[in-house]
Amino acid sequence: MSKINNYLKFIRFHNLLIGSISVFISGLILNIFNINVFIGMMHVFFIMGFANTMNDLLDYKTDCINNPQRVLVNNKINNKEAQVICIIFFILSCLISFLTPLSTIFFIYGIIFPLIISYNLFFKKTPILGNLFVAFLLAAIFLYVELLLTNTINILIIPSLLVANLSLIRELIKDTHDFYGDKKNNFLTLPIIFGIKKSCIIISVLMALSIFLFLLPYFFGIYGIKYLISLVFLIEIPLIYSIFVLMNYPSIKTIKKLIKLHKILTIGGLFILFLTRK
């Protein structure tokens, strides 16, 4: 059981599960519930598994400093096992794509896979651009689902923007946490350019702007009062708290706690979308 648990930690099973749930909720928003929803859930699960395992394989040196608890770093699984798992996820994601429409196949092979590979190999070290890559990839789950189920991209644009914004904030917070490992390995991230304190100010400004932007769907009548109430309690208040922490206690220890909080915010965002579906 411990070996299985290590494998689950390596693929970041909880993240894969959140991705699959995002597909299910997207189906509910679109009022579509058929076999394609389950195909989409499996497809996203496998693609995210490939992306996560590839990331950990390439991030081994930086994780030795930034994330020493990772199972690959502390030798709970070896490099060969990790490579095999990564290849299996890639093969499974390719195989299941044959069950999806041609437009979805073009979306995956023309946009998603090139972004995953180019991010991991080249753009991870690029300030802001690398963060935007990750934010788009996570938001693209909603675009993928709408394309899969309706062959259009229209209704789920706002949920994808919400997720992209939250993901960008979390990625910037993670970069701040990874400052010392990234600096040692010559990564060029926002915190390395501006320093931890100035980066915390930049992230706080972005969060303040997000607090305002997240309210716009309500003020423009796109979503109703349930969206507003759930948004305030599940997203806005935690963002205000995050700003307070970053501005007053800008340390690696407090930033690590914020990373966990913002992972929960992603789940909160999914819950908001579930509540506001028509």
Side-chain angles (χ1 to χ4, degrees), residues 162 211 214-219 222-240 265 268-269 271-276:
L162 173 67
I211 289 171
F214 291 160
L215 292 170
L216 293 182
Y218 170 75
F219 289 122
I222 299 172
Y223 296 128
I225 190 66
K226 286 193 293 185
Y227 171 82
L228 178 63
I229 294 172
S230 55
L231 176 74
V232 168
F233 284 99
L234 296 176
I235 303 294
E236 306 273 85
I237 292 176
L239 284 178
I240 293 171
L265 287 192
F271 187 67
I272 291 171
L273 297 175
F274 175 77
L275 288 177
T276 56

Side-chain angles (χ1 to χ4, degrees), residues 3-277:
K3 194 69 173 179
I4 294 174
N5 188 49
N6 289 332
Y7 289 146
L8 293 177
K9 287 181 179 178
F10 174 59
I11 68 175
R12 303 180 213 172
F13 179 77
H14 57 285
N15 286 347
L16 274 56
L17 189 61
I18 291 172
S20 295
I21 293 172
S22 300
V23 176
F24 182 76
I25 290 176
S26 298
L28 292 178
I29 295 172
L30 296 169
N31 290 315
I32 297 174
F33 187 74
N34 55 32
I35 188 63
N36 285 334
V37 174
F38 293 101
I39 290 173
M41 290 174 71
M42 288 187 293
H43 205 183
V44 166
F45 188 93
F46 295 144
I47 292 172
M48 289 183 67
F50 164 67
N52 288 348
T53 52
M54 182 184 184
N55 183 271
D56 273 16
L57 281 165
L58 295 174
D59 272 3
Y60 180 82
K61 289 183 179 180
T62 55
D63 282 343
C64 287
I65 299 172
N66 297 329
N67 299 291
Q69 77 283 357
R70 292 273 169 88
V71 292
L72 187 60
V73 172
N74 55 39
N75 295 316
K76 290 183 178 179
I77 66 170
N78 59 51
N79 190 268
K80 187 176 181 179
E81 287 177 305
Q83 291 179 24
V84 169
I85 293 171
C86 182
I87 292 170
I88 288 173
F89 272 117
F90 178 73
I91 292 172
L92 289 173
S93 61
C94 290
L95 289 175
I96 203 169
S97 67
F98 291 108
L99 300 176
T100 65
L102 191 60
S103 58
T104 307
I105 293 174
F106 282 132
F107 185 72
I108 295 298
Y109 291 100
I111 298 176
I112 301 304
F113 275 140
L115 284 180
I116 290 172
I117 294 169
S118 60
Y119 166 76
N120 278 312
L121 294 178
F122 307 112
F123 294 105
K124 189 184 301 181
K125 301 177 183 181
T126 307
I128 301 298
L129 185 59
N131 304 120
L132 289 171
F133 267 47
V134 175
F136 173 79
L137 285 168
L138 293 172
I141 293 174
F142 295 92
L143 305 180
Y144 160 81
V145 175
E146 186 171 0
L147 200 58
L148 173 67
L149 299 180
T150 69
N151 205 34
T152 61
I153 295 177
N154 183 20
I155 300 172
L156 296 181
I157 290 177
I158 291 179
S160 68
L161 290 174
L162 173 67
V163 170
N165 205 314
L166 289 173
S167 300
L168 177 60
I169 291 170
R170 184 168 181 268
E171 286 301 309
L172 291 172
I173 293 173
K174 283 172 63 179
D175 278 354
T176 307
H177 171 266
D178 295 344
F179 176 84
Y180 295 106
D182 289 346
K183 187 175 183 179
K184 186 174 182 179
N185 287 277
N186 298 315
F187 280 26
L188 192 63
T189 61
L190 187 75
I192 290 173
I193 294 173
F194 293 103
I196 292 177
K197 288 187 177 181
K198 287 184 179 179
S199 295
C200 287
I201 294 172
I202 294 171
I203 297 168
S204 296
V205 171
L206 179 59
M207 286 193 286
L209 182 62
S210 299
I211 289 171
F212 169 73
L213 291 176
F214 291 160
L215 292 170
L216 293 182
Y218 170 75
F219 289 122
F220 282 103
I222 299 172
Y223 296 128
I225 190 66
K226 286 193 293 185
Y227 171 82
L228 178 63
I229 294 172
S230 55
L231 176 74
V232 168
F233 284 99
L234 296 176
I235 303 294
E236 306 273 85
I237 292 176
L239 284 178
I240 293 171
Y241 168 77
S242 299
I243 293 172
F244 173 79
V245 170
L246 286 177
M247 296 301 292
N248 292 280
Y249 308 101
S251 68
I252 298 297
K253 185 177 180 181
T254 54
I255 288 168
K256 187 174 183 178
K257 293 179 180 179
L258 285 184
I259 292 174
K260 295 179 180 179
L261 172 63
H262 280 256
K263 183 175 288 187
I264 297 172
L265 287 192
T266 304
I267 300 173
L270 293 178
F271 187 67
I272 291 171
L273 297 175
F274 175 77
L275 288 177
T276 56
R277 77 192 194 282

